[in-house]
């Protein structure tokens, strides 16, 4: 499965591009916009076709889930430690982020999946992940309850390596949004997965 994470700041034609990616088989979209207000988030969500709302994952403004039939929520590592997710866990799908396999292996089955990053050196955060050992650490995965999604530096040239590892999916961020043609990059990544 391929997931896409939004850039932190709104980019031109972003929601048009998101609707097209959904039409072409995008599995889930993580809306990660930590700086936008509740009203800006409402504006953003309403520009995404209603039929795709069930495939949206909120990182903030969780209360909007009920209004827009969104039942997927992502919690950062810090939120997990504060157990802020517990009120959402019963009726919704929740995901989280980890930065090492040891932490991932301790997650309980309340989590649908976890991002592990950086898998490759980051595209959007220059210099981040240059000395990452995540790709090797994945061999020590022993958590059968939580899907593992690779994040960080994934593009059409290396996505095949993700799926050759013991990984359940890939999350795209920089490859999509740092590109002049985000949809084309998404198609290429999806085609690698399908071939």
């Amino acid at each position: 499965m391929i997931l896409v994470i939004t850039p932190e700041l709104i980019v031109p034609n972003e929601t048009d591009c998101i609707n097209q990616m959904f039409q072409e088989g995008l599995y889930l979209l993580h809306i990660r916009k930590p700086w936008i207000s509740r009203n800006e988030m409402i504006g953003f969500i309403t520009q995404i076709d209603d039929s795709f709302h069930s495939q949206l994952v909120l990182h903030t403004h969780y209360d909007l889930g009920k209004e827009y039939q969104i039942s997927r929520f992502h919690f950062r590592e810090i939120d997990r430690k504060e157990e802020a997710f517990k009120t959402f866990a019963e009726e919704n799908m929740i995901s989280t982020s980890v930065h090492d396999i040891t932490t991932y292996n301790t997650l309980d089955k309340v989590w649908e999946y976890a991002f592990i990053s950086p898998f490759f050196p980051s595209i959007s955060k220059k210099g981040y992940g240059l000395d990452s050992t995540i790709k090797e650490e994945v061999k020590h995965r022993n958590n059968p309850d939580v899907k593992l999604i690779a994040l960080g530096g994934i593009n059409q040239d290396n996505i095949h390596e993700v799926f050759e590892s013991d990984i359940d999916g890939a999350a795209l961020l920089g490859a999509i949004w740092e590109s002049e043609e985000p949809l084309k990059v998404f198609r290429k990544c999806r085609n690698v997965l399908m071939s």
Side-chain angles (χ1 to χ4, degrees):
M1 73 176 132
I2 294 180
L3 293 72
V4 168
I5 303 173
T6 64
E8 291 190 354
L9 304 171
I10 291 174
V11 298
N13 305 317
E14 185 177 346
T15 50
D16 294 340
C17 195
I18 287 166
N19 283 316
Q20 288 177 292
M21 285 189 281
F22 273 129
Q23 286 160 3
E24 298 203 18
L26 174 61
Y27 181 64
L28 293 174
L29 177 83
H30 276 249
I31 302 178
R32 183 170 160 267
K33 301 219 172 268
W35 322 117
I36 70 173
S37 70
R38 189 173 189 278
N39 284 343
E40 288 170 313
M41 180 66 91
I42 289 169
F44 188 82
I45 292 169
T46 54
Q47 289 174 46
I48 297 170
D49 193 297
D50 296 3
S51 62
F52 303 126
H53 285 184
S54 65
Q55 292 167 271
L56 300 177
V57 185
L58 296 178
H59 283 227
T60 54
H61 303 294
Y62 301 128
D63 61 307
L64 293 174
K66 285 218 183 343
E67 271 174 68
Y68 293 96
Q69 283 74 54
I70 298 169
S71 60
R72 295 175 171 277
F73 304 95
H74 188 84
F75 295 90
R76 301 169 308 161
E77 214 152 2
I78 189 165
D79 302 320
R80 199 173 63 240
K81 289 180 178 129
E82 292 170 5
E83 300 193 347
F85 62 87
K86 289 206 165 164
T87 55
F88 289 87
E90 286 171 28
E91 297 170 12
N92 303 291
M93 301 279 208
I94 59 170
S95 57
T96 191
S97 303
V98 297
H99 299 285
D100 61 80
I101 205 71
T102 309
T103 305
Y104 164 77
N105 284 334
T106 65
L107 293 176
D108 64 31
K109 61 180 165 219
V110 66
W111 303 101
E112 185 189 2
Y113 57 88
F115 289 141
I116 190 161
S117 68
F119 201 78
F120 298 111
S122 175
I123 296 168
S124 52
K125 296 182 195 163
K126 302 291 177 240
Y128 179 65
L130 291 174
D131 51 1
S132 173
T133 57
I134 300 278
K135 218 169 112 185
E136 286 69 50
E137 284 183 41
V138 169
K139 296 177 183 116
H140 304 291
R141 174 185 183 179
N142 64 12
N143 186 337
D145 298 319
V146 183
K147 290 187 186 113
L148 189 59
I149 309 294
L151 168 64
I154 300 166
N155 61 31
Q156 66 267 22
D157 301 322
N158 62 21
I159 194 168
H160 66 280
E161 290 181 54
V162 172
F163 291 101
E164 287 161 7
S165 310
D166 186 18
I167 294 277
D168 302 301
L172 304 173
L173 175 58
I176 298 284
W177 304 112
E178 307 257 325
S179 163
E180 298 284 312
E181 300 181 88
L183 193 58
K184 195 181 264 186
V185 173
F186 173 75
R187 281 186 191 128
K188 284 181 178 169
C189 290
R190 190 205 55 207
N191 291 344
V192 169
L193 183 57
M194 291 167 78
S195 63

